[in-house]
Each structure stands twice: as C-alpha cells, then as structure tokens.
C-alpha cells in the first residue's frame, strides 16, 4: 500500500526517505469492510478520504429514498464539505466494496504542510485537477440525457458497472432501476 501512495505522490513531487517515514508514522492507512459507513447526515467530521483500493460513494436521503451523487475509486479523493465548513454533513459516505483508504484530517494536513511546504504545493495541484474534473463532469451531467449519461459512464468508468449495484448506478444516473434496465436492453438491441 505504501508503494501505491508513493507512486501517486511521485506524479507531483519527489519525497526523501525521511518524508516517506513521517507520512507512514501518521497511521493514515485504513482497511474497511463493504458497507462501512464513514459519515452520516448530521455528523461532523474533519476527515478527508483518498481511495487506494476499493470504492466509496456519497449519497443523500430524499423522501426516504437514496440518491447517489458520486462514486470514488482508486486514486480519487473526497473531502466532504462539512470537513471544511465545520458544519454537520448533509449526506452519507459508505464503502461499496472492501476498501483501503488513506484517512487524514485538517490538523494532520496542516502539520505536514507546515513541516514540508512541498506537500502544500502537491495538494494545491491535485485540488486544482480535481476541481476541473468535477466541473467538467457536472456540466456534462447537467446537459446530457439519461442515455448519454449511461454511455458516458460506459466510456469513462466501465468498471462501475461490475462494482456497484444497479439501483445505486441508476440513482447516480438520475433514473429508476427499471429505466436503467430498459435503457440497457434498448442499447443492446442497437
């Protein structure tokens, strides 16, 4: 797991052995079982998540029904808005598979960034990339039909089709599971 992390970091900055050892001493790695709830609506948290292996999702309950807003898989990060605003969470986060996460909090991040300014540079670069990707994904989602959303999912994240239940995929696409089934059937016939 350390190798996965250090390979990812090396895309942005180089680390000395001392810096690697300091990161490892922070007890960042957490192995969690499928179904583990990381955050609940109404709960406060300082935690940020980086997926090394597995899948987590964020979702709301609207009139008793789950509405999936995002899936995060290998090498993707999530900092819930409540971690920044210090307010209760408006949504849930759970593991949809057995998952290996790096869990950090704002206090850890501040300490590491103070001691090693290059981490702050890396975090800013990664955050800018993440923000741009999320903006593109959001715009694409808002301007596309359910069929286009599904085709985009097939093209950009085909692994999700095997990794998450159909009802969660349907919710993520903004349709019912029955509509997703019909859409899949229609596309197979084409």
């Amino acid at each position: 797991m350390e190798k996965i992390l250090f390979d990812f970091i090396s895309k942005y900055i180089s680390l000395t052995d001392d810096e690697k050892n300091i990161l490892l001493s922070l007890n960042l790695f957490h192995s969690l079982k499928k179904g583990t709830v990381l955050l609940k609506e109404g709960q406060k948290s300082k935690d940020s998540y980086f997926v090394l292996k597995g899948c987590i999702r964020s979702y709301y309950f609207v009139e008793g029904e789950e509405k999936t807003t995002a899936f995060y898989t290998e090498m993707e990060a999530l900092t819930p808005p409540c971690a920044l605003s210090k307010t209760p969470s408006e949504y849930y986060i759970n593991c949809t598979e057995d998952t290996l996460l790096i869990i950090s909090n704002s206090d850890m991040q501040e300490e590491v960034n103070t001691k090693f300014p290059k981490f702050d540079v890396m975090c800013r670069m990664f955050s800018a990339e993440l923000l741009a990707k999320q903006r593109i994904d959001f715009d694409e989602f808002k301007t596309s039909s359910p069929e286009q959303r599904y085709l985009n999912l097939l093209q950009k994240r085909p692994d999700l089709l095997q990794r998450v239940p159909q009802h969660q995929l349907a919710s993520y696409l903004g349709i019912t599971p029955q509509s997703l089934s019909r859409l899949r059937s229609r596309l197979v016939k084409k």
Side-chain angles (χ1 to χ4, degrees), residues 82-165:
C82 68
L84 301 172
S85 66
K86 296 176 176 57
T87 59
S89 177
E90 294 182 4
Y91 58 81
Y92 293 78
I93 301 170
N94 81 339
C95 299
T96 60
E97 300 176 330
D98 289 348
T99 303
L100 178 61
L101 294 175
I102 291 177
I103 301 177
S104 64
N105 62 48
S106 53
D107 297 334
M108 279 181 193
Q109 292 166 7
E110 190 174 314
E111 181 182 336
V112 169
N113 290 345
T114 300
K115 288 181 181 174
F116 306 103
K118 66 182 171 182
F119 279 106
D120 189 43
V121 172
M122 181 195 83
C123 289
R124 288 176 194 272
M125 291 168 59
F126 182 64
S127 295
E129 286 177 7
L130 185 61
L131 185 60
K133 180 190 175 302
Q134 286 179 337
R135 183 63 205 197
I136 290 166
D137 291 347
F138 180 75
D139 289 349
E140 205 170 71
F141 185 87
K142 293 293 282 182
T143 59
S144 60
S145 69
E147 183 173 326
Q148 289 170 318
R149 290 180 202 147
Y150 181 73
L151 292 171
N152 285 341
L153 187 69
L154 278 175
Q155 180 186 12
K156 294 180 178 179
R157 302 195 69 188
D159 62 305
L160 288 180
L161 300 174
Q162 306 303 316
R163 296 175 80 171
V164 298

